[in-house]
Amino acid sequence: MGMSVTISAATEEDAEQILKLQYLCYQREAEIYGDYSIEPLTQSLADLRGELGRGRVLVARLGAEVVGSVRGVVDAERTARLAKLIVHPRMQRHGLGGRLLAAIEEQLAAELEAERYRLFTGHRSDGDLRLYRSHGYAPVGTERVSQRLSLITLEKVADAGRYLASA
């Protein structure tokens, strides 16, 4: 009998599994950009634990295993900044990334009154860009970080999903 994936708030006990999954998931990004010194690959466990206390972190679980995660914080202007949406490679292309994205958006709007969402990804991260666009995000800026990397910032209004669903 198969297990279903559940999404819930991360706990302190999840930190190590999240960090290991993050390291696995960002290998492809590092390869694409030829840079293995990117922050997701160098983040310490202490830093990650700090993030658990500063914002919202969700995990997707298959049984006891963490197979996905996403983080978000809301600033004084009610802009939610989403980060590090990760899904285990064997679980990708089954809608889990979209479920995590929707879950963090919903939680940040309900609990912290987020009015808009902002995230960024690398210009060559085609799968990420497709996912974000399919969930209503639109590019609002590009920042050249190095010769190899430009970061594309995408945003959407918190109610955008409701308008699309009722149209």
Side-chain angles (χ1 to χ4, degrees):
M1 177 181 243
M3 288 187 275
S4 63
V5 174
T6 59
I7 296 175
S8 61
T11 66
E12 177 77 22
E13 292 76 38
D14 294 322
E16 198 168 324
Q17 278 194 70
I18 293 168
L19 191 62
K20 286 178 183 177
L21 180 61
Q22 176 177 303
Y23 189 82
L24 173 67
C25 291
Y26 275 92
Q27 293 296 316
R28 175 137 167 62
E29 293 294 302
E31 183 181 336
I32 289 171
Y33 298 103
D35 183 358
Y36 288 85
S37 67
I38 58 176
E39 189 270 343
L41 296 181
T42 61
Q43 185 176 29
S44 71
L45 187 55
D47 269 355
L48 176 59
R49 285 194 168 117
E51 286 184 19
L52 287 171
R54 284 191 301 274
R56 300 293 192 268
V57 181
L58 298 180
V59 291
R61 296 179 202 282
L62 183 61
E65 180 186 7
V66 172
V67 294
S69 183
V70 64
R71 301 170 210 178
V73 296
V74 178
D75 66 20
E77 288 81 38
R78 295 191 177 165
T79 298
R81 298 181 188 282
L82 309 181
K84 297 185 178 99
L85 174 62
I86 55 175
V87 174
H88 193 289
R90 77 171 190 275
M91 303 293 292
Q92 292 177 1
R93 304 204 195 312
H94 298 288
L96 185 53
R99 284 180 58 201
L100 280 162
L101 191 57
I104 195 77
E105 290 172 355
E106 183 178 310
Q107 185 178 60
L108 294 173
E111 295 177 11
L112 301 175
E113 300 178 352
E115 295 177 355
R116 75 193 62 74
Y117 307 104
R118 182 177 295 152
L119 49 76
F120 64 86
T121 192
H123 71 284
R124 291 187 204 153
S125 302
D126 296 330
D128 295 347
L129 289 166
R130 267 192 309 276
L131 172 68
Y132 300 142
R133 285 183 174 131
S134 74
H135 283 266
Y137 286 81
V140 295
T142 302
E143 176 190 356
R144 186 175 177 148
V145 176
S146 70
Q147 278 191 296
R148 295 180 179 162
L149 172 64
S150 292
L151 292 177
I152 299 174
T153 299
L154 300 103
E155 284 187 5
K156 83 172 188 179
V157 175
D159 292 332
R162 279 191 228 152
Y163 297 129
L164 292 173
S166 64

